[in-house]
mmCIF file of all heavy atoms in Angstrom:
data_model
loop_
_atom_site.group_PDB
_atom_site.id
_atom_site.type_symbol
_atom_site.label_atom_id
_atom_site.label_comp_id
_atom_site.label_asym_id
_atom_site.label_seq_id
_atom_site.Cartn_x
_atom_site.Cartn_y
_atom_site.Cartn_z
ATOM 1 N N SER A 198 -7.661 14.572 9.227
ATOM 2 C CA SER A 198 -8.995 13.991 9.089
ATOM 3 C C SER A 198 -9.726 13.952 10.431
ATOM 4 O O SER A 198 -10.934 14.178 10.495
ATOM 5 C CB SER A 198 -8.895 12.572 8.509
ATOM 6 O OG SER A 198 -8.287 12.587 7.223
ATOM 7 N N ALA A 199 -8.986 13.655 11.499
ATOM 8 C CA ALA A 199 -9.604 13.642 12.828
ATOM 9 C C ALA A 199 -10.139 15.028 13.175
ATOM 10 O O ALA A 199 -11.240 15.175 13.716
ATOM 11 C CB ALA A 199 -8.585 13.191 13.876
ATOM 12 N N GLY A 200 -9.375 16.058 12.845
ATOM 13 C CA GLY A 200 -9.837 17.418 13.101
ATOM 14 C C GLY A 200 -11.017 17.798 12.238
ATOM 15 O O GLY A 200 -11.944 18.482 12.690
ATOM 16 N N LEU A 201 -11.001 17.339 10.990
ATOM 17 C CA LEU A 201 -12.093 17.658 10.082
ATOM 18 C C LEU A 201 -13.397 17.007 10.522
ATOM 19 O O LEU A 201 -14.485 17.541 10.275
ATOM 20 C CB LEU A 201 -11.734 17.208 8.665
ATOM 21 C CG LEU A 201 -12.679 17.622 7.538
ATOM 22 C CD1 LEU A 201 -12.786 19.141 7.459
ATOM 23 C CD2 LEU A 201 -12.203 17.063 6.202
ATOM 24 N N CYS A 202 -13.295 15.862 11.181
ATOM 25 C CA CYS A 202 -14.505 15.169 11.659
ATOM 26 C C CYS A 202 -15.160 15.902 12.822
ATOM 27 O O CYS A 202 -16.312 15.636 13.157
ATOM 28 C CB CYS A 202 -14.163 13.750 12.095
ATOM 29 S SG CYS A 202 -13.828 12.613 10.730
ATOM 30 N N LEU A 203 -14.429 16.799 13.448
ATOM 31 C CA LEU A 203 -14.945 17.509 14.621
ATOM 32 C C LEU A 203 -15.331 18.924 14.218
ATOM 33 O O LEU A 203 -14.626 19.887 14.484
ATOM 34 C CB LEU A 203 -13.885 17.547 15.721
ATOM 35 C CG LEU A 203 -13.493 16.181 16.286
ATOM 36 C CD1 LEU A 203 -12.271 16.297 17.179
ATOM 37 C CD2 LEU A 203 -14.653 15.565 17.052
ATOM 38 N N LEU A 204 -16.458 19.037 13.583
ATOM 39 C CA LEU A 204 -16.957 20.336 13.164
ATOM 40 C C LEU A 204 -18.136 20.754 14.027
ATOM 41 O O LEU A 204 -18.866 19.920 14.553
ATOM 42 C CB LEU A 204 -17.404 20.296 11.698
ATOM 43 C CG LEU A 204 -16.308 20.153 10.644
ATOM 44 C CD1 LEU A 204 -16.932 19.981 9.271
ATOM 45 C CD2 LEU A 204 -15.384 21.348 10.652
ATOM 46 N N GLY A 205 -18.327 22.051 14.158
ATOM 47 C CA GLY A 205 -19.488 22.562 14.867
ATOM 48 C C GLY A 205 -19.475 22.207 16.336
ATOM 49 O O GLY A 205 -18.451 22.244 17.006
ATOM 50 N N PRO A 206 -20.645 21.844 16.915
ATOM 51 C CA PRO A 206 -20.742 21.586 18.348
ATOM 52 C C PRO A 206 -19.823 20.476 18.828
ATOM 53 O O PRO A 206 -19.378 20.493 19.967
ATOM 54 C CB PRO A 206 -22.218 21.193 18.534
ATOM 55 C CG PRO A 206 -22.923 21.803 17.372
ATOM 56 C CD PRO A 206 -21.948 21.743 16.230
ATOM 57 N N CYS A 207 -19.502 19.513 17.965
ATOM 58 C CA CYS A 207 -18.693 18.373 18.395
ATOM 59 C C CYS A 207 -17.302 18.795 18.842
ATOM 60 O O CYS A 207 -16.729 18.205 19.751
ATOM 61 C CB CYS A 207 -18.560 17.354 17.259
ATOM 62 S SG CYS A 207 -20.047 16.404 16.961
ATOM 63 N N GLU A 208 -16.717 19.807 18.186
ATOM 64 C CA GLU A 208 -15.354 20.180 18.532
ATOM 65 C C GLU A 208 -15.297 21.008 19.795
ATOM 66 O O GLU A 208 -14.243 21.141 20.414
ATOM 67 C CB GLU A 208 -14.699 20.943 17.382
ATOM 68 C CG GLU A 208 -15.320 22.287 17.073
ATOM 69 C CD GLU A 208 -14.580 22.982 15.934
ATOM 70 O OE1 GLU A 208 -13.343 23.000 15.977
ATOM 71 O OE2 GLU A 208 -15.228 23.487 15.019
ATOM 72 N N ARG A 209 -16.411 21.607 20.215
ATOM 73 C CA ARG A 209 -16.398 22.483 21.369
ATOM 74 C C ARG A 209 -16.966 21.828 22.617
ATOM 75 O O ARG A 209 -16.563 22.141 23.722
ATOM 76 C CB ARG A 209 -17.187 23.771 21.064
ATOM 77 C CG ARG A 209 -16.519 24.617 20.008
ATOM 78 C CD ARG A 209 -17.229 25.939 19.849
ATOM 79 N NE ARG A 209 -18.566 25.819 19.260
ATOM 80 C CZ ARG A 209 -18.775 25.791 17.962
ATOM 81 N NH1 ARG A 209 -17.767 25.826 17.122
ATOM 82 N NH2 ARG A 209 -19.993 25.692 17.473
ATOM 83 N N GLU A 210 -17.920 20.922 22.472
ATOM 84 C CA GLU A 210 -18.581 20.343 23.631
ATOM 85 C C GLU A 210 -18.652 18.827 23.509
ATOM 86 O O GLU A 210 -19.717 18.256 23.314
ATOM 87 C CB GLU A 210 -19.998 20.914 23.762
ATOM 88 C CG GLU A 210 -20.017 22.425 23.943
ATOM 89 C CD GLU A 210 -21.418 22.973 23.945
ATOM 90 O OE1 GLU A 210 -22.357 22.177 23.728
ATOM 91 O OE2 GLU A 210 -21.587 24.173 24.155
ATOM 92 N N PRO A 211 -17.498 18.142 23.610
ATOM 93 C CA PRO A 211 -17.513 16.680 23.491
ATOM 94 C C PRO A 211 -18.208 16.057 24.686
ATOM 95 O O PRO A 211 -17.914 16.423 25.830
ATOM 96 C CB PRO A 211 -16.032 16.312 23.472
ATOM 97 C CG PRO A 211 -15.381 17.419 24.213
ATOM 98 C CD PRO A 211 -16.180 18.661 23.893
ATOM 99 N N PRO A 212 -19.161 15.173 24.470
ATOM 100 C CA PRO A 212 -19.825 14.531 25.597
ATOM 101 C C PRO A 212 -18.889 13.588 26.322
ATOM 102 O O PRO A 212 -18.131 12.853 25.707
ATOM 103 C CB PRO A 212 -20.989 13.770 24.931
ATOM 104 C CG PRO A 212 -20.517 13.505 23.543
ATOM 105 C CD PRO A 212 -19.667 14.683 23.168
#
Side-chain angles (χ1 to χ4, degrees):
S198 300
L201 188 59
C202 287
L203 296 170
L204 290 174
C207 286
E208 65 179 314
R209 293 187 291 274
E210 300 175 356

